Amino acid sequence: MKVLSVASELYPLIKTGGLADVAGALPIALAAHGVETKTLIPGYPAVMKAVKKPKKVYDFDSLLDERATLLSARHEGLDLLILDCPQLYERSGGPYLATDGRDYPDNWKRFAVLSKAGAEIAAGILPDFIPDLVHVHDWQSALVPVYMRYAEAPEVPSLITIHNIAFQGQFAGSLFPYLELPGHAFYEALEYYGTLSYLKSGIITSHAVSTVSPSYAEEILTPEFGMGLEGLIASRGSDLYGIVNGIDADVWNPSADELLPSAYSATTLKKRAGNRAALNERFGLDADDGPIFAVISRLTWQKGLDLVPEVLDEILDAGGKLAILGSGDSFIEAALQGAAAYNRGRVGMVLGYDEKLSHLMQAGSDIILVPSRFEPCGLTQLYALRYGCIPLVARTGGLADTIIDANEAALAAGVATGVQFAPVTADAFRHAIRRTLRLHSDQRLWSQMQKQGMKSDVSWNRSGATYADLYQRLVSKGQ
Ligand SMILES: Nc1ncnc2c1ncn2[C@@H]1O[C@H](COP(=O)(O)OP(=O)(O)O[C@H]2O[C@H](CO)[C@@H](O)[C@H](O)[C@H]2O)[C@@H](O)[C@H]1O
């Protein structure tokens, strides 16, 4: 089966969050199921620089009035189609934000053009690659099924995956005429309280909708989590699927991770000490035995990290330490930086994004904090399981699905892998920290939990097969 995947980020080329990890790992997992994936991505500077010897495969004379070239390349096991359109993608900031932290004003066009290119590939412009199915991710590629629906071409089955419903790609309604869609598409697909919603239109026009965990698939049917789209999603009925993410078990493998000073496995957990020492040094933490809590995250309201300063005394009073890596909302950044400045040796912070350092943190710290208010799947806790770092998570979405809480029954059965708490309030969070510290003080119990986590299959094995089945079902239905 041939699949066209369209994504706005892709590990290892360009990443701002979990979407890149999934878009990068899924094609490799699916290859084992006979699925041949090509991934269409924008020709951002990082992509153009990293990819060697791309081949020109098509010239677009006009994608919403922009000329663009389609390049084909292979990179680290991935087959890529790169939309080279410097006037839209050659920018000095990130994929979505300029260097001043604001959205590019033409994001509506940058991702509509990407989507239109995707729809044209689906319609068969590349004789060597006629996809059987199109898989799009989040609002940035959500217009692909819309362009497919309104094109005079045979319709290829499509799947849209929602990685985060909070980002909907909402733009002024007055831009509609520039999208080169028929007038009736406005009310049929795109209109959202007078504005345009790219995500909404993708949910309406795709043959199936998936999200990245079973719990989140249920949550987004409710007003609390659906962010205004709950009714629309409910209307898709049995076309909605929840498939939990996996992780790339080769990139994240503590026994062969070249980014670590000290590789280890479940039988050599003592070797984590080498990573712990490096972590203490990197974050300016005291070289004592206190449990190290870690945060690796976008610092946003979603992730609940504004609560950390409120519960910090719970960690510090017990002789614990905290290492934070992240960036995001300026008020959360400032509060955490303040906590680090005030508690030198006990709290350390690295502001920014650092993939390498995130490996060391998973390998050297004892507990990873993921107090998200909502979490479609979450990957950080999955990396933690693999690295013998105990996840302390909010009981929501994929966090609830992937971590087994250390309650009495789970401990007795030896299946606990972490600590969950709800609701996401400072009080419940404090209580969970106390509970975690109690578990940590029992060396035997703690290492049993570490080993249990390291044993869990967090790879793409199972979910890769589930996606392959779903693809097959959609293709068979379309025939
Ligand atoms: N400062 C930093 N330095 C280094 N690495 C950092 C970092 N900040 C974050 N990361 C890394 O970025 C990734 C974040 O992935 P998540 O799944 O946790 O969240 P995100 O909200 O981006 O993704 C959305 O999409 C994914 C994929 O479907 C869902 O799992 C998730 O719930 C949803 O919100 C992880 O690999 C994490 O380690």
Side-chain angles (χ1 to χ4, degrees), residues 188-221:
E188 280 171 12
L190 273 134
E191 190 272 341
Y192 187 71
Y193 298 104
T195 69
L196 304 177
S197 167
Y198 283 17
L199 185 63
K200 174 192 164 182
S201 69
I203 292 170
I204 289 183
T205 53
S206 291
H207 291 75
V209 179
S210 75
T211 184
V212 287
S213 69
S215 286
Y216 193 62
E218 282 176 24
E219 288 170 353
I220 55 176
L221 297 169

Side-chain angles (χ1 to χ4, degrees), residues 81-375:
L81 291 169
I82 301 163
L83 190 63
D84 184 17
C85 185
Q87 61 278 31
L88 294 182
Y89 306 128
E90 198 185 294
R91 307 265 165 103
S92 51
Y96 320 118
L97 307 180
T99 40
D100 63 4
R102 292 179 197 215
D103 285 353
Y104 295 117
D106 58 350
N107 273 348
W108 69 273
K109 186 172 199 179
R110 297 172 72 236
F111 296 104
V113 163
L114 177 73
S115 296
K116 194 143 202 297
E120 297 206 10
I121 297 167
I125 57 168
L126 303 178
D128 293 343
F129 183 69
I130 314 266
D132 299 301
L133 180 134
V134 177
H135 187 172
V136 305
H137 302 268
D138 279 349
W139 71 266
Q140 293 89 341
S141 50
L143 287 188
V144 180
V146 183
Y147 283 116
M148 284 161 65
R149 171 67 54 90
Y150 293 100
E152 281 161 27
E155 224 176 297
V156 177
S158 54
L159 169 68
I160 184 165
T161 297
I162 303 171
H163 295 266
N164 193 336
I165 207 164
F167 302 108
Q168 302 185 355
Q170 226 171 309
F171 301 103
S174 56
L175 292 168
F176 179 75
Y178 302 100
L179 293 179
E180 296 179 1
L181 284 162
H184 53 105
F186 182 67
Y187 284 112
E188 280 171 12
L190 273 134
E191 190 272 341
Y192 187 71
Y193 298 104
T195 69
L196 304 177
S197 167
Y198 283 17
L199 185 63
K200 174 192 164 182
S201 69
I203 292 170
I204 289 183
T205 53
S206 291
H207 291 75
V209 179
S210 75
T211 184
V212 287
S213 69
S215 286
Y216 193 62
E218 282 176 24
E219 288 170 353
I220 55 176
L221 297 169
T222 67
E224 194 188 345
F225 293 96
M227 308 243 168
L229 297 181
E230 59 277 4
L232 176 73
I233 290 170
S235 75
R236 294 302 316 250
S238 59
D239 293 334
L240 176 66
Y241 299 85
I243 307 174
V244 79
N245 288 330
I247 63 171
D248 187 325
D250 293 329
V251 174
W252 294 91
N253 178 3
S255 58
D257 189 335
E258 286 171 5
L259 300 172
L260 302 183
S262 175
Y264 62 96
S265 70
T267 52
T268 56
L269 280 171
K270 286 212 163 66
K271 289 195 187 166
R272 289 182 105 250
N275 304 313
R276 184 188 170 85
L279 184 64
N280 277 332
E281 198 176 315
R282 181 74 170 79
F283 281 86
L285 299 175
D286 299 337
D288 58 28
D289 288 339
I292 306 181
F293 290 72
V295 167
I296 308 166
S297 186
R298 291 189 287 115
L299 304 177
T300 60
W301 182 86
Q302 173 197 346
K303 303 291 183 183
L305 296 165
D306 47 305
L307 294 176
V308 168
E310 281 187 63
V311 300
L312 185 60
D313 56 329
E314 218 52 77
I315 295 175
L316 301 185
D317 292 351
K321 295 178 275 187
L322 175 64
I324 307 161
L325 167 63
S327 62
D329 293 350
S330 51
F331 79 96
I332 305 180
E333 285 181 0
L336 294 173
Q337 276 179 307
Y342 196 72
N343 297 288
R344 278 191 202 289
R346 308 312 299 175
V347 180
M349 175 154 181
V350 172
L351 186 67
Y353 189 92
D354 189 335
E355 189 82 23
K356 283 187 188 161
L357 182 55
S358 74
H359 284 241
L360 177 66
M361 292 175 77
Q362 296 280 13
S365 64
D366 299 293
I367 298 129
I368 193 107
L369 298 175
V370 194
S372 307
R373 291 192 169 85
F374 67 94
E375 196 61 78

Side-chain angles (χ1 to χ4, degrees), residues 45-66:
V47 173
M48 301 305 282
K49 203 170 142 211
V51 166
K52 303 278 171 274
K53 295 193 186 145
K55 214 172 79 196
K56 185 162 146 181
V57 288
Y58 195 80
D59 275 318
F60 292 102
D61 289 336
S62 173
L63 287 169
L64 309 190
D65 283 337
E66 302 292 345

